[in-house]
Amino acid sequence: SQQGEEDPQALSIQEGENATMNCSYKTSINNLQWYRQNSGRGLVHLILIRSNEREKHSGRLRVTLDTSKKSSSLLITASRAADTASYFCATMDTGRRALTFGSGTRLQVQP
Amino acid sequence: DAGVIQSPRHEVTEMGQEVTLRCKPISGHDYLFWYRQTMMRGLELLIYFNNNVPIDDSGMPEDRFSAKMPNASFSTLKIQPSEPRDSAVYFCASSTSGGATDTQYFGPGTRLTVL
């Protein structure tokens, strides 16, 4: 079953703008991960944030985690057309190795 | 590194037939996961192994599904008999318990269509 919802379900922006996606979850987690999936392709790991971390950066990506609200956000700065994809958050529950995925956000970056 | 390898990439079969999906994890990884992706249910875990031993198969839909990992470099997911509602993309992923990372590396998936 899916962990929670991602918001928005779809997002369309212009190249150069920032994109923010939100994820909510329900359980106690060890870490939260973000993955990208291009249409018809596999999932590519983007970034992992542990439950004792609040913010993490990787290139143009910034992830925040608020365990008190059971929520996370992914910010993509200075978006490019190549960022067009679906983005999924996935949680790893405490004591478990498998991931529980959110419903995903479809991002469209217009050139 | 070749990454996670899955075969076949596409499979079209008729209802009632047996289907076998294959996965080769990244060398040295001791965890292997099978996930399924559908429009209706999204991405969901089917089963995962640690050191070739099944740890959690609570996501396996029913007895028609079975998974094996005879050695550290090979796993199969079998559906017998297949039904149209099994049509989905099946992903295999692997990870390592070593180091500080819990990152899972996904294969390209097998797109299964059951007619």
Side-chain angles (χ1 to χ4, degrees):
Chain A
S1 62
Q2 293 186 36
Q3 170 68 283
E5 293 301 317
E6 290 185 52
D7 169 49
Q9 291 187 359
L11 179 61
S12 183
I13 59 175
Q14 296 294 125
E15 209 166 25
E17 294 180 340
N18 295 342
T20 299
M21 288 160 266
N22 303 296
C23 166
S24 63
Y25 59 92
K26 300 173 183 175
T27 57
S28 176
I29 65 170
N30 180 291
N31 63 68
L32 184 145
Q33 305 179 32
W34 286 88
Y35 286 81
R36 184 186 74 222
Q37 184 179 35
N38 290 84
S39 180
R41 306 291 291 272
L43 287 93
V44 175
H45 180 263
L46 295 176
I47 193 167
L48 179 153
I49 186 166
R50 299 200 178 278
S51 59
N52 61 353
E53 297 175 314
R54 292 296 167 259
E55 187 171 312
K56 204 161 184 180
H57 297 253
S58 177
R60 294 185 295 115
L61 305 180
R62 182 173 76 97
V63 170
T64 62
L65 179 65
D66 187 334
T67 53
S68 67
K69 295 181 180 178
K70 289 186 164 53
S71 67
S72 174
S73 67
L74 171 68
L75 168 67
I76 303 174
T77 60
S79 64
R80 306 166 181 168
D83 295 328
T84 294
S86 291
Y87 291 80
F88 294 90
C89 70
T91 54
M92 185 174 288
D93 290 352
T94 304
R96 197 165 180 257
R97 294 291 298 206
L99 294 173
T100 304
F101 283 86
S103 52
T105 294
R106 292 191 313 279
L107 174 65
Q108 177 76 41
V109 181
Q110 308 284 355
Chain B
D1 199 326
V4 176
I5 299 172
Q6 291 187 247
S7 65
R9 294 292 307 277
H10 301 273
E11 178 81 28
V12 179
T13 190
E14 293 189 347
M15 183 174 64
Q17 296 297 306
E18 177 179 296
V19 175
T20 299
L21 311 181
R22 297 173 176 79
C23 174
K24 176 179 170 54
I26 293 173
S27 178
H29 282 193
D30 53 347
Y31 282 91
L32 183 139
F33 307 83
W34 284 99
Y35 293 92
R36 179 172 68 175
Q37 184 176 34
T38 62
M39 289 294 291
M40 291 297 294
R41 299 176 63 87
L43 275 154
E44 53 184 351
L45 175 76
L46 298 177
I47 185 171
Y48 77 93
F49 297 82
N50 178 221
N51 291 322
N52 313 336
V53 176
I55 301 301
D56 183 347
D57 65 353
S58 59
M60 295 286 266
E62 49 202 87
D63 292 345
R64 296 185 299 106
F65 285 68
S66 63
K68 295 181 180 180
M69 193 165 185
N71 57 63
S73 59
F74 184 65
S75 177
T76 60
L77 178 67
K78 186 175 293 186
I79 309 172
Q80 166 63 20
S82 58
E83 296 182 2
R85 59 191 167 119
D86 301 331
S87 296
V89 181
Y90 291 80
F91 289 103
C92 177
S94 69
S95 70
T96 177
S97 58
T101 179
D102 292 318
T103 300
Q104 293 186 15
Y105 297 86
F106 282 74
T110 295
R111 182 174 297 275
L112 173 66
T113 302
V114 183
L115 303 174

PDB file of all heavy atoms in Angstrom, chain A residues 37-73:
ATOM      1  N   GLN A  37      11.423   9.235 -12.176  1.00  0.00           N
ATOM      2  CA  GLN A  37      11.095   8.244 -13.195  1.00  0.00           C
ATOM      3  C   GLN A  37      10.710   8.962 -14.476  1.00  0.00           C
ATOM      4  O   GLN A  37       9.709   9.665 -14.519  1.00  0.00           O
ATOM      5  CB  GLN A  37       9.947   7.329 -12.745  1.00  0.00           C
ATOM      6  CG  GLN A  37       9.643   6.212 -13.740  1.00  0.00           C
ATOM      7  CD  GLN A  37       8.526   5.296 -13.280  1.00  0.00           C
ATOM      8  OE1 GLN A  37       7.576   5.723 -12.642  1.00  0.00           O
ATOM      9  NE2 GLN A  37       8.647   4.006 -13.590  1.00  0.00           N
ATOM     10  N   ASN A  38      11.526   8.780 -15.490  1.00  0.00           N
ATOM     11  CA  ASN A  38      11.170   9.287 -16.802  1.00  0.00           C
ATOM     12  C   ASN A  38      10.148   8.347 -17.421  1.00  0.00           C
ATOM     13  O   ASN A  38      10.100   7.163 -17.101  1.00  0.00           O
ATOM     14  CB  ASN A  38      12.399   9.412 -17.689  1.00  0.00           C
ATOM     15  CG  ASN A  38      13.309  10.535 -17.231  1.00  0.00           C
ATOM     16  OD1 ASN A  38      14.130  10.346 -16.336  1.00  0.00           O
ATOM     17  ND2 ASN A  38      13.139  11.703 -17.806  1.00  0.00           N
ATOM     18  N   SER A  39       9.348   8.877 -18.307  1.00  0.00           N
ATOM     19  CA  SER A  39       8.236   8.130 -18.878  1.00  0.00           C
ATOM     20  C   SER A  39       8.700   6.797 -19.436  1.00  0.00           C
ATOM     21  O   SER A  39       9.593   6.733 -20.277  1.00  0.00           O
ATOM     22  CB  SER A  39       7.572   8.957 -19.982  1.00  0.00           C
ATOM     23  OG  SER A  39       6.496   8.249 -20.540  1.00  0.00           O
ATOM     24  N   GLY A  40       8.089   5.714 -18.942  1.00  0.00           N
ATOM     25  CA  GLY A  40       8.397   4.393 -19.448  1.00  0.00           C
ATOM     26  C   GLY A  40       9.736   3.837 -19.028  1.00  0.00           C
ATOM     27  O   GLY A  40      10.189   2.839 -19.596  1.00  0.00           O
ATOM     28  N   ARG A  41      10.367   4.465 -18.045  1.00  0.00           N
ATOM     29  CA  ARG A  41      11.696   4.025 -17.644  1.00  0.00           C
ATOM     30  C   ARG A  41      11.701   3.590 -16.178  1.00  0.00           C
ATOM     31  O   ARG A  41      10.686   3.622 -15.480  1.00  0.00           O
ATOM     32  CB  ARG A  41      12.691   5.165 -17.845  1.00  0.00           C
ATOM     33  CG  ARG A  41      12.698   5.761 -19.232  1.00  0.00           C
ATOM     34  CD  ARG A  41      13.247   4.794 -20.271  1.00  0.00           C
ATOM     35  NE  ARG A  41      14.664   4.571 -20.092  1.00  0.00           N
ATOM     36  CZ  ARG A  41      15.610   5.313 -20.637  1.00  0.00           C
ATOM     37  NH1 ARG A  41      15.275   6.367 -21.380  1.00  0.00           N
ATOM     38  NH2 ARG A  41      16.875   5.023 -20.452  1.00  0.00           N
ATOM     39  N   GLY A  42      12.870   3.178 -15.707  1.00  0.00           N
ATOM     40  CA  GLY A  42      13.021   2.774 -14.313  1.00  0.00           C
ATOM     41  C   GLY A  42      13.176   3.969 -13.394  1.00  0.00           C
ATOM     42  O   GLY A  42      13.126   5.118 -13.828  1.00  0.00           O
ATOM     43  N   LEU A  43      13.353   3.692 -12.128  1.00  0.00           N
ATOM     44  CA  LEU A  43      13.486   4.743 -11.126  1.00  0.00           C
ATOM     45  C   LEU A  43      14.948   5.044 -10.862  1.00  0.00           C
ATOM     46  O   LEU A  43      15.766   4.135 -10.735  1.00  0.00           O
ATOM     47  CB  LEU A  43      12.816   4.328  -9.819  1.00  0.00           C
ATOM     48  CG  LEU A  43      11.293   4.341  -9.854  1.00  0.00           C
ATOM     49  CD1 LEU A  43      10.752   2.976 -10.227  1.00  0.00           C
ATOM     50  CD2 LEU A  43      10.739   4.766  -8.507  1.00  0.00           C
ATOM     51  N   VAL A  44      15.235   6.314 -10.736  1.00  0.00           N
ATOM     52  CA  VAL A  44      16.591   6.773 -10.460  1.00  0.00           C
ATOM     53  C   VAL A  44      16.610   7.460  -9.112  1.00  0.00           C
ATOM     54  O   VAL A  44      15.806   8.373  -8.859  1.00  0.00           O
ATOM     55  CB  VAL A  44      17.084   7.745 -11.558  1.00  0.00           C
ATOM     56  CG1 VAL A  44      18.458   8.300 -11.188  1.00  0.00           C
ATOM     57  CG2 VAL A  44      17.128   7.039 -12.902  1.00  0.00           C
ATOM     58  N   HIS A  45      17.509   7.017  -8.245  1.00  0.00           N
ATOM     59  CA  HIS A  45      17.604   7.605  -6.919  1.00  0.00           C
ATOM     60  C   HIS A  45      18.176   9.019  -7.007  1.00  0.00           C
ATOM     61  O   HIS A  45      19.168   9.264  -7.700  1.00  0.00           O
ATOM     62  CB  HIS A  45      18.517   6.739  -6.035  1.00  0.00           C
ATOM     63  CG  HIS A  45      18.679   7.249  -4.653  1.00  0.00           C
ATOM     64  ND1 HIS A  45      19.749   8.005  -4.258  1.00  0.00           N
ATOM     65  CD2 HIS A  45      17.884   7.135  -3.565  1.00  0.00           C
ATOM     66  CE1 HIS A  45      19.619   8.323  -2.981  1.00  0.00           C
ATOM     67  NE2 HIS A  45      18.492   7.805  -2.537  1.00  0.00           N
ATOM     68  N   LEU A  46      17.545   9.943  -6.296  1.00  0.00           N
ATOM     69  CA  LEU A  46      17.998  11.333  -6.308  1.00  0.00           C
ATOM     70  C   LEU A  46      18.716  11.708  -5.018  1.00  0.00           C
ATOM     71  O   LEU A  46      19.828  12.234  -5.033  1.00  0.00           O
ATOM     72  CB  LEU A  46      16.818  12.278  -6.515  1.00  0.00           C
ATOM     73  CG  LEU A  46      16.092  12.185  -7.855  1.00  0.00           C
ATOM     74  CD1 LEU A  46      14.889  13.114  -7.866  1.00  0.00           C
ATOM     75  CD2 LEU A  46      17.040  12.506  -8.998  1.00  0.00           C
ATOM     76  N   ILE A  47      18.051  11.460  -3.891  1.00  0.00           N
ATOM     77  CA  ILE A  47      18.592  11.949  -2.629  1.00  0.00           C
ATOM     78  C   ILE A  47      17.931  11.205  -1.481  1.00  0.00           C
ATOM     79  O   ILE A  47      16.772  10.784  -1.585  1.00  0.00           O
ATOM     80  CB  ILE A  47      18.381  13.486  -2.518  1.00  0.00           C
ATOM     81  CG1 ILE A  47      19.203  14.085  -1.392  1.00  0.00           C
ATOM     82  CG2 ILE A  47      16.912  13.835  -2.414  1.00  0.00           C
ATOM     83  CD1 ILE A  47      19.279  15.609  -1.454  1.00  0.00           C
ATOM     84  N   LEU A  48      18.655  11.039  -0.402  1.00  0.00           N
ATOM     85  CA  LEU A  48      18.165  10.366   0.803  1.00  0.00           C
ATOM     86  C   LEU A  48      18.370  11.287   1.989  1.00  0.00           C
ATOM     87  O   LEU A  48      19.433  11.903   2.125  1.00  0.00           O
ATOM     88  CB  LEU A  48      18.926   9.048   1.010  1.00  0.00           C
ATOM     89  CG  LEU A  48      18.589   8.185   2.233  1.00  0.00           C
ATOM     90  CD1 LEU A  48      18.897   6.713   1.908  1.00  0.00           C
ATOM     91  CD2 LEU A  48      19.359   8.598   3.471  1.00  0.00           C
ATOM     92  N   ILE A  49      17.370  11.383   2.833  1.00  0.00           N
ATOM     93  CA  ILE A  49      17.483  12.173   4.057  1.00  0.00           C
ATOM     94  C   ILE A  49      17.090  11.291   5.227  1.00  0.00           C
ATOM     95  O   ILE A  49      16.064  10.598   5.185  1.00  0.00           O
ATOM     96  CB  ILE A  49      16.633  13.476   3.983  1.00  0.00           C
ATOM     97  CG1 ILE A  49      16.893  14.352   5.215  1.00  0.00           C
ATOM     98  CG2 ILE A  49      15.151  13.185   3.801  1.00  0.00           C
ATOM     99  CD1 ILE A  49      16.374  15.779   5.047  1.00  0.00           C
ATOM    100  N   ARG A  50      17.908  11.277   6.255  1.00  0.00           N
ATOM    101  CA  ARG A  50      17.657  10.418   7.402  1.00  0.00           C
ATOM    102  C   ARG A  50      16.712  11.122   8.386  1.00  0.00           C
ATOM    103  O   ARG A  50      16.576  12.342   8.377  1.00  0.00           O
ATOM    104  CB  ARG A  50      18.970  10.028   8.071  1.00  0.00           C
ATOM    105  CG  ARG A  50      19.878   9.256   7.136  1.00  0.00           C
ATOM    106  CD  ARG A  50      20.935   8.452   7.841  1.00  0.00           C
ATOM    107  NE  ARG A  50      21.721   7.707   6.857  1.00  0.00           N
ATOM    108  CZ  ARG A  50      21.334   6.547   6.338  1.00  0.00           C
ATOM    109  NH1 ARG A  50      20.199   6.007   6.688  1.00  0.00           N
ATOM    110  NH2 ARG A  50      22.089   5.932   5.452  1.00  0.00           N
ATOM    111  N   SER A  51      16.130  10.340   9.261  1.00  0.00           N
ATOM    112  CA  SER A  51      15.106  10.879  10.170  1.00  0.00           C
ATOM    113  C   SER A  51      15.671  11.915  11.147  1.00  0.00           C
ATOM    114  O   SER A  51      14.922  12.740  11.671  1.00  0.00           O
ATOM    115  CB  SER A  51      14.444   9.745  10.957  1.00  0.00           C
ATOM    116  OG  SER A  51      15.410   9.040  11.714  1.00  0.00           O
ATOM    117  N   ASN A  52      16.982  11.891  11.371  1.00  0.00           N
ATOM    118  CA  ASN A  52      17.575  12.870  12.285  1.00  0.00           C
ATOM    119  C   ASN A  52      18.130  14.098  11.543  1.00  0.00           C
ATOM    120  O   ASN A  52      18.773  14.956  12.147  1.00  0.00           O
ATOM    121  CB  ASN A  52      18.679  12.236  13.126  1.00  0.00           C
ATOM    122  CG  ASN A  52      19.815  11.694  12.287  1.00  0.00           C
ATOM    123  OD1 ASN A  52      19.735  11.669  11.061  1.00  0.00           O
ATOM    124  ND2 ASN A  52      20.878  11.261  12.938  1.00  0.00           N
ATOM    125  N   GLU A  53      17.869  14.166  10.240  1.00  0.00           N
ATOM    126  CA  GLU A  53      18.286  15.317   9.445  1.00  0.00           C
ATOM    127  C   GLU A  53      17.079  16.178   9.110  1.00  0.00           C
ATOM    128  O   GLU A  53      15.954  15.676   8.994  1.00  0.00           O
ATOM    129  CB  GLU A  53      18.984  14.849   8.157  1.00  0.00           C
ATOM    130  CG  GLU A  53      20.264  14.063   8.421  1.00  0.00           C
ATOM    131  CD  GLU A  53      20.877  13.510   7.145  1.00  0.00           C
ATOM    132  OE1 GLU A  53      20.127  12.934   6.312  1.00  0.00           O
ATOM    133  OE2 GLU A  53      22.110  13.645   6.980  1.00  0.00           O
ATOM    134  N   ARG A  54      17.311  17.434   8.915  1.00  0.00           N
ATOM    135  CA  ARG A  54      16.198  18.343   8.610  1.00  0.00           C
ATOM    136  C   ARG A  54      16.274  18.884   7.182  1.00  0.00           C
ATOM    137  O   ARG A  54      15.255  19.244   6.600  1.00  0.00           O
ATOM    138  CB  ARG A  54      16.197  19.509   9.601  1.00  0.00           C
ATOM    139  CG  ARG A  54      15.845  19.078  10.996  1.00  0.00           C
ATOM    140  CD  ARG A  54      14.427  18.534  11.062  1.00  0.00           C
ATOM    141  NE  ARG A  54      14.154  17.828  12.305  1.00  0.00           N
ATOM    142  CZ  ARG A  54      14.160  16.502  12.407  1.00  0.00           C
ATOM    143  NH1 ARG A  54      14.406  15.744  11.357  1.00  0.00           N
ATOM    144  NH2 ARG A  54      13.900  15.940  13.575  1.00  0.00           N
ATOM    145  N   GLU A  55      17.474  18.959   6.649  1.00  0.00           N
ATOM    146  CA  GLU A  55      17.635  19.505   5.302  1.00  0.00           C
ATOM    147  C   GLU A  55      18.876  18.880   4.671  1.00  0.00           C
ATOM    148  O   GLU A  55      19.858  18.593   5.350  1.00  0.00           O
ATOM    149  CB  GLU A  55      17.782  21.033   5.369  1.00  0.00           C
ATOM    150  CG  GLU A  55      17.798  21.721   4.032  1.00  0.00           C
ATOM    151  CD  GLU A  55      17.726  23.245   4.161  1.00  0.00           C
ATOM    152  OE1 GLU A  55      16.851  23.723   4.919  1.00  0.00           O
ATOM    153  OE2 GLU A  55      18.540  23.922   3.527  1.00  0.00           O
ATOM    154  N   LYS A  56      18.778  18.699   3.356  1.00  0.00           N
ATOM    155  CA  LYS A  56      19.904  18.140   2.624  1.00  0.00           C
ATOM    156  C   LYS A  56      19.934  18.722   1.221  1.00  0.00           C
ATOM    157  O   LYS A  56      18.877  18.979   0.627  1.00  0.00           O
ATOM    158  CB  LYS A  56      19.803  16.623   2.572  1.00  0.00           C
ATOM    159  CG  LYS A  56      21.130  15.916   2.369  1.00  0.00           C
ATOM    160  CD  LYS A  56      21.013  14.464   2.777  1.00  0.00           C
ATOM    161  CE  LYS A  56      22.360  13.777   2.666  1.00  0.00           C
ATOM    162  NZ  LYS A  56      22.280  12.357   3.054  1.00  0.00           N
ATOM    163  N   HIS A  57      21.146  18.919   0.694  1.00  0.00           N
ATOM    164  CA  HIS A  57      21.295  19.491  -0.627  1.00  0.00           C
ATOM    165  C   HIS A  57      22.105  18.548  -1.499  1.00  0.00           C
ATOM    166  O   HIS A  57      23.007  17.849  -1.038  1.00  0.00           O
ATOM    167  CB  HIS A  57      22.044  20.833  -0.554  1.00  0.00           C
ATOM    168  CG  HIS A  57      21.328  21.891   0.218  1.00  0.00           C
ATOM    169  ND1 HIS A  57      20.716  22.968  -0.389  1.00  0.00           N
ATOM    170  CD2 HIS A  57      21.098  22.024   1.545  1.00  0.00           C
ATOM    171  CE1 HIS A  57      20.170  23.744   0.536  1.00  0.00           C
ATOM    172  NE2 HIS A  57      20.381  23.192   1.720  1.00  0.00           N
ATOM    173  N   SER A  58      21.762  18.549  -2.781  1.00  0.00           N
ATOM    174  CA  SER A  58      22.554  17.833  -3.761  1.00  0.00           C
ATOM    175  C   SER A  58      22.389  18.551  -5.089  1.00  0.00           C
ATOM    176  O   SER A  58      21.349  18.452  -5.739  1.00  0.00           O
ATOM    177  CB  SER A  58      22.099  16.380  -3.877  1.00  0.00           C
ATOM    178  OG  SER A  58      22.822  15.700  -4.893  1.00  0.00           O
ATOM    179  N   GLY A  59      23.405  19.288  -5.482  1.00  0.00           N
ATOM    180  CA  GLY A  59      23.305  20.051  -6.728  1.00  0.00           C
ATOM    181  C   GLY A  59      22.142  21.021  -6.697  1.00  0.00           C
ATOM    182  O   GLY A  59      22.041  21.857  -5.801  1.00  0.00           O
ATOM    183  N   ARG A  60      21.232  20.882  -7.653  1.00  0.00           N
ATOM    184  CA  ARG A  60      20.050  21.774  -7.714  1.00  0.00           C
ATOM    185  C   ARG A  60      18.882  21.263  -6.862  1.00  0.00           C
ATOM    186  O   ARG A  60      17.794  21.840  -6.882  1.00  0.00           O
ATOM    187  CB  ARG A  60      19.597  21.909  -9.174  1.00  0.00           C
ATOM    188  CG  ARG A  60      20.596  22.617 -10.081  1.00  0.00           C
ATOM    189  CD  ARG A  60      20.036  22.827 -11.484  1.00  0.00           C
ATOM    190  NE  ARG A  60      19.801  21.545 -12.170  1.00  0.00           N
ATOM    191  CZ  ARG A  60      18.606  21.111 -12.521  1.00  0.00           C
ATOM    192  NH1 ARG A  60      17.512  21.801 -12.227  1.00  0.00           N
ATOM    193  NH2 ARG A  60      18.471  19.960 -13.164  1.00  0.00           N
ATOM    194  N   LEU A  61      19.110  20.215  -6.109  1.00  0.00           N
ATOM    195  CA  LEU A  61      18.055  19.627  -5.284  1.00  0.00           C
ATOM    196  C   LEU A  61      18.220  20.032  -3.825  1.00  0.00           C
ATOM    197  O   LEU A  61      19.328  20.061  -3.298  1.00  0.00           O
ATOM    198  CB  LEU A  61      18.094  18.098  -5.369  1.00  0.00           C
ATOM    199  CG  LEU A  61      18.014  17.463  -6.753  1.00  0.00           C
ATOM    200  CD1 LEU A  61      18.064  15.950  -6.623  1.00  0.00           C
ATOM    201  CD2 LEU A  61      16.766  17.896  -7.491  1.00  0.00           C
ATOM    202  N   ARG A  62      17.082  20.340  -3.213  1.00  0.00           N
ATOM    203  CA  ARG A  62      17.063  20.576  -1.763  1.00  0.00           C
ATOM    204  C   ARG A  62      15.886  19.821  -1.183  1.00  0.00           C
ATOM    205  O   ARG A  62      14.752  19.965  -1.644  1.00  0.00           O
ATOM    206  CB  ARG A  62      16.949  22.059  -1.435  1.00  0.00           C
ATOM    207  CG  ARG A  62      16.980  22.340   0.075  1.00  0.00           C
ATOM    208  CD  ARG A  62      17.035  23.834   0.351  1.00  0.00           C
ATOM    209  NE  ARG A  62      15.757  24.488   0.163  1.00  0.00           N
ATOM    210  CZ  ARG A  62      14.887  24.762   1.134  1.00  0.00           C
ATOM    211  NH1 ARG A  62      15.153  24.400   2.376  1.00  0.00           N
ATOM    212  NH2 ARG A  62      13.754  25.384   0.882  1.00  0.00           N
ATOM    213  N   VAL A  63      16.173  19.023  -0.191  1.00  0.00           N
ATOM    214  CA  VAL A  63      15.133  18.228   0.467  1.00  0.00           C
ATOM    215  C   VAL A  63      15.031  18.669   1.923  1.00  0.00           C
ATOM    216  O   VAL A  63      16.053  18.879   2.578  1.00  0.00           O
ATOM    217  CB  VAL A  63      15.455  16.723   0.407  1.00  0.00           C
ATOM    218  CG1 VAL A  63      14.495  15.940   1.294  1.00  0.00           C
ATOM    219  CG2 VAL A  63      15.369  16.225  -1.015  1.00  0.00           C
ATOM    220  N   THR A  64      13.814  18.799   2.400  1.00  0.00           N
ATOM    221  CA  THR A  64      13.579  19.061   3.816  1.00  0.00           C
ATOM    222  C   THR A  64      12.741  17.943   4.395  1.00  0.00           C
ATOM    223  O   THR A  64      11.986  17.273   3.674  1.00  0.00           O
ATOM    224  CB  THR A  64      12.871  20.404   4.036  1.00  0.00           C
ATOM    225  OG1 THR A  64      11.589  20.357   3.398  1.00  0.00           O
ATOM    226  CG2 THR A  64      13.692  21.555   3.480  1.00  0.00           C
ATOM    227  N   LEU A  65      12.882  17.727   5.674  1.00  0.00           N
ATOM    228  CA  LEU A  65      12.119  16.695   6.378  1.00  0.00           C
ATOM    229  C   LEU A  65      11.645  17.245   7.710  1.00  0.00           C
ATOM    230  O   LEU A  65      12.442  17.791   8.481  1.00  0.00           O
ATOM    231  CB  LEU A  65      12.988  15.454   6.602  1.00  0.00           C
ATOM    232  CG  LEU A  65      12.349  14.298   7.355  1.00  0.00           C
ATOM    233  CD1 LEU A  65      11.185  13.711   6.563  1.00  0.00           C
ATOM    234  CD2 LEU A  65      13.381  13.202   7.642  1.00  0.00           C
ATOM    235  N   ASP A  66      10.356  17.114   7.952  1.00  0.00           N
ATOM    236  CA  ASP A  66       9.770  17.506   9.229  1.00  0.00           C
ATOM    237  C   ASP A  66       9.090  16.277   9.823  1.00  0.00           C
ATOM    238  O   ASP A  66       7.968  15.935   9.440  1.00  0.00           O
ATOM    239  CB  ASP A  66       8.767  18.649   9.022  1.00  0.00           C
ATOM    240  CG  ASP A  66       8.236  19.221  10.330  1.00  0.00           C
ATOM    241  OD1 ASP A  66       8.224  18.498  11.348  1.00  0.00           O
ATOM    242  OD2 ASP A  66       7.812  20.390  10.336  1.00  0.00           O
ATOM    243  N   THR A  67       9.782  15.611  10.728  1.00  0.00           N
ATOM    244  CA  THR A  67       9.234  14.373  11.281  1.00  0.00           C
ATOM    245  C   THR A  67       8.044  14.623  12.196  1.00  0.00           C
ATOM    246  O   THR A  67       7.212  13.739  12.372  1.00  0.00           O
ATOM    247  CB  THR A  67      10.312  13.581  12.026  1.00  0.00           C
ATOM    248  OG1 THR A  67      10.926  14.437  12.995  1.00  0.00           O
ATOM    249  CG2 THR A  67      11.363  13.054  11.070  1.00  0.00           C
ATOM    250  N   SER A  68       7.952  15.807  12.767  1.00  0.00           N
ATOM    251  CA  SER A  68       6.809  16.109  13.633  1.00  0.00           C
ATOM    252  C   SER A  68       5.530  16.225  12.822  1.00  0.00           C
ATOM    253  O   SER A  68       4.444  15.890  13.296  1.00  0.00           O
ATOM    254  CB  SER A  68       7.053  17.397  14.423  1.00  0.00           C
ATOM    255  OG  SER A  68       7.093  18.515  13.554  1.00  0.00           O
ATOM    256  N   LYS A  69       5.663  16.692  11.585  1.00  0.00           N
ATOM    257  CA  LYS A  69       4.501  16.811  10.695  1.00  0.00           C
ATOM    258  C   LYS A  69       4.425  15.640   9.721  1.00  0.00           C
ATOM    259  O   LYS A  69       3.488  15.565   8.914  1.00  0.00           O
ATOM    260  CB  LYS A  69       4.570  18.119   9.909  1.00  0.00           C
ATOM    261  CG  LYS A  69       4.461  19.368  10.768  1.00  0.00           C
ATOM    262  CD  LYS A  69       4.502  20.629   9.915  1.00  0.00           C
ATOM    263  CE  LYS A  69       4.382  21.873  10.787  1.00  0.00           C
ATOM    264  NZ  LYS A  69       4.458  23.123   9.990  1.00  0.00           N
ATOM    265  N   LYS A  70       5.420  14.749   9.781  1.00  0.00           N
ATOM    266  CA  LYS A  70       5.474  13.616   8.863  1.00  0.00           C
ATOM    267  C   LYS A  70       5.346  14.111   7.424  1.00  0.00           C
ATOM    268  O   LYS A  70       4.463  13.679   6.656  1.00  0.00           O
ATOM    269  CB  LYS A  70       4.404  12.577   9.180  1.00  0.00           C
ATOM    270  CG  LYS A  70       4.679  11.798  10.466  1.00  0.00           C
ATOM    271  CD  LYS A  70       3.659  10.681  10.670  1.00  0.00           C
ATOM    272  CE  LYS A  70       4.117   9.660  11.699  1.00  0.00           C
ATOM    273  NZ  LYS A  70       4.520  10.206  12.991  1.00  0.00           N
ATOM    274  N   SER A  71       6.242  15.015   7.075  1.00  0.00           N
ATOM    275  CA  SER A  71       6.199  15.563   5.722  1.00  0.00           C
ATOM    276  C   SER A  71       7.604  15.890   5.241  1.00  0.00           C
ATOM    277  O   SER A  71       8.530  16.114   6.035  1.00  0.00           O
ATOM    278  CB  SER A  71       5.311  16.799   5.671  1.00  0.00           C
ATOM    279  OG  SER A  71       5.899  17.855   6.411  1.00  0.00           O
ATOM    280  N   SER A  72       7.731  15.929   3.915  1.00  0.00           N
ATOM    281  CA  SER A  72       8.991  16.257   3.269  1.00  0.00           C
ATOM    282  C   SER A  72       8.697  17.078   2.031  1.00  0.00           C
ATOM    283  O   SER A  72       7.590  17.022   1.468  1.00  0.00           O
ATOM    284  CB  SER A  72       9.731  14.976   2.874  1.00  0.00           C
ATOM    285  OG  SER A  72      10.897  15.262   2.124  1.00  0.00           O
ATOM    286  N   SER A  73       9.684  17.855   1.617  1.00  0.00           N
ATOM    287  CA  SER A  73       9.539  18.585   0.362  1.00  0.00           C
ATOM    288  C   SER A  73      10.815  18.449  -0.452  1.00  0.00           C
ATOM    289  O   SER A  73      11.914  18.316   0.095  1.00  0.00           O
ATOM    290  CB  SER A  73       9.231  20.063   0.610  1.00  0.00           C
ATOM    291  OG  SER A  73      10.347  20.699   1.195  1.00  0.00           O
TER     292      SER A  73
END
